[in-house]
Amino acid sequence: MVNITNWIPSFDNNTDRQVRRERISKYAFYSFLFSVVWVLIVIPLHNYLSLQRGVFEIFHKVRRYIKLRWSRVHRLPLYHNRSIRLFSFWTLIITVFTLYRDSSDLLQITKRLGRIATALLPTILFLTLKPSPLAKTLYLTLLPLHKWISRSLVLAALLHSIFYIVYFFKQGTVRRKLFKLANLYGVAAMGLFIIIVLSSLKMVRRSNYRLFYYLHYSSTWLVIIFIHFHARPKASGYTVLSVAILIYQICYRLYHTTTVTPTVTRISPTLTMMEFPIVDISRKPILPSSHIRIVMKSKNIWKRFFNQIIPLTHPFTLLSLPAVSYTHLTLPTN
């Protein structure tokens, strides 16, 4: 009879240190590679094929077949909840790369959780690029994916922290280990992860968008820095990728930012229309419902500098077709 307790991970099931380190790095990289293939290949390819008539019909027939064959499952409300599906899928992916060939070594699992969370950071940052560099893919369609991969990542980081605290208690080294500088960086990063998740909740984001954006943007930079100094061995490759994505976004924004003096028409106490020539936009809109991001230029030079560091902007949809020389948009009046 097989002893099921042998399958339960334990801190007592130690593997060779070199083997453990190799597996942690390897499966973290595999998780990063999977996310890259999914985002850079699978999503654009699906979006492109969905626009092809023949492929669209095949997709439609497959969905109809699944709906008829699994009608009971299809009726479940959870089946149609995209958020749950995304969170479950990416949590499953992280779980697979965490537990595969783990040798029931809980310390290895603990280390893998942290390393995988670090490896997925460049992917979730890439999903925030505005506009999306992916073909046939709109930026707004990637936000749910960004949000739920991030929450799966935070769950992995939280389990990493909890398991390590349990391990320190088991070893009797809580005071000595927990307050090492490298580990304090990890505690700070975990705290910022929690702040990011809480500030991203709908009730917070909608009630105070400015607070949400400031916390989200500044915490993202700090998390990358803290994780870089916390990770052992160093995760320099993932740090460089994350910083490069953020710097690219800053450079793109600065390059495409123009100063425009619009014609403002007050439509109602709560609605204002702004009109300006399309040529004043640095990148001409090519699709109906294209949008621009607006920030009011302050007369105070320090406020302008702060707005460049943390670019609080809102997207507004253009209401004119690209062929028209002037464009206009409507926005709420505060």
Side-chain angles (χ1 to χ4, degrees), residues 77-88:
L78 294 180
Y79 177 83
H80 297 281
N81 191 310
R82 187 187 180 196
S83 298
I84 291 178
R85 293 205 310 270
L86 286 172
F87 180 72
S88 300

Side-chain angles (χ1 to χ4, degrees), residues 10-13 106 163-174:
S10 169
F11 289 119
D12 298 325
N13 295 341
L106 189 53
F163 288 158
Y164 248 125
I165 291 174
V166 172
Y167 177 70
F168 291 155
F169 268 110
K170 185 177 176 62
Q171 297 294 314
T173 58
V174 176

Side-chain angles (χ1 to χ4, degrees), residues 36-70:
V36 168
V37 171
W38 189 268
V39 171
L40 297 186
I41 299 176
V42 175
I43 291 178
L45 183 62
H46 174 270
N47 293 340
Y48 171 77
L49 293 176
S50 298
L51 298 175
Q52 310 306 309
R53 182 179 180 85
V55 179
F56 175 81
E57 291 176 354
I58 293 174
F59 284 170
H60 177 71
K61 289 178 180 178
V62 170
R63 292 193 190 100
R64 181 175 175 79
Y65 173 79
I66 294 174
K67 180 178 179 179
L68 293 175
R69 190 169 181 84
W70 302 96

Side-chain angles (χ1 to χ4, degrees), residues 85-269:
R85 293 205 310 270
L86 286 172
F87 180 72
S88 300
F89 176 76
W90 285 99
T91 301
L92 176 63
I93 294 302
I94 291 175
T95 302
V96 169
F97 286 117
T98 299
L99 299 181
Y100 183 69
R101 296 185 65 191
D102 65 345
S103 302
S104 297
D105 181 3
L106 189 53
L107 183 58
Q108 181 182 161
I109 292 172
T110 302
K111 290 175 179 288
R112 278 203 210 182
L113 285 167
R115 198 70 174 187
I116 289 173
T118 302
L120 291 179
L121 272 175
T123 301
I124 65 172
L125 293 175
F126 180 85
L127 291 169
T128 65
L129 290 178
K130 302 183 285 285
S132 172
L134 301 178
K136 307 296 182 181
T137 305
L138 297 176
Y139 154 73
L140 293 176
T141 63
L142 297 176
L143 284 184
L145 186 60
H146 161 76
K147 180 170 68 175
W148 290 106
I149 295 180
S150 299
R151 292 180 180 180
S152 297
L153 181 155
V154 171
L155 178 60
L158 182 61
L159 291 175
H160 166 79
S161 303
I162 292 173
F163 288 158
Y164 248 125
I165 291 174
V166 172
Y167 177 70
F168 291 155
F169 268 110
K170 185 177 176 62
Q171 297 294 314
T173 58
V174 176
R175 291 185 179 180
R176 181 167 60 88
K177 292 283 190 177
L178 195 59
F179 293 98
K180 286 182 64 175
L181 182 59
N183 291 334
L184 288 176
Y185 282 128
V187 172
M190 188 67 248
L192 290 171
F193 271 139
I194 293 173
I195 289 174
I196 290 173
V197 170
L198 293 178
S199 64
S200 300
L201 296 176
K202 185 183 293 186
M203 62 175 66
V204 177
R205 190 175 68 249
R206 292 192 173 180
S207 62
N208 194 331
Y209 183 83
R210 186 181 296 272
L211 175 65
F212 151 74
Y213 192 89
Y214 287 161
L215 287 176
H216 205 84
Y217 192 86
S218 57
S219 296
T220 298
W221 273 101
L222 290 173
V223 160
I224 294 171
I225 295 170
F226 289 157
I227 287 181
H228 174 73
F229 290 108
H230 167 70
R232 298 184 298 273
K234 291 297 182 184
S236 301
Y238 301 124
T239 302
V240 169
L241 279 175
S242 298
V243 172
I245 291 170
L246 290 175
I247 291 177
Y248 165 79
Q249 195 164 27
I250 292 172
C251 294
Y252 182 92
R253 186 185 71 250
L254 291 174
Y255 180 77
H256 287 280
T257 296
T258 58
T259 301
V260 177
T261 304
T263 301
V264 179
T265 305
R266 179 70 64 89
I267 298 176
S268 73

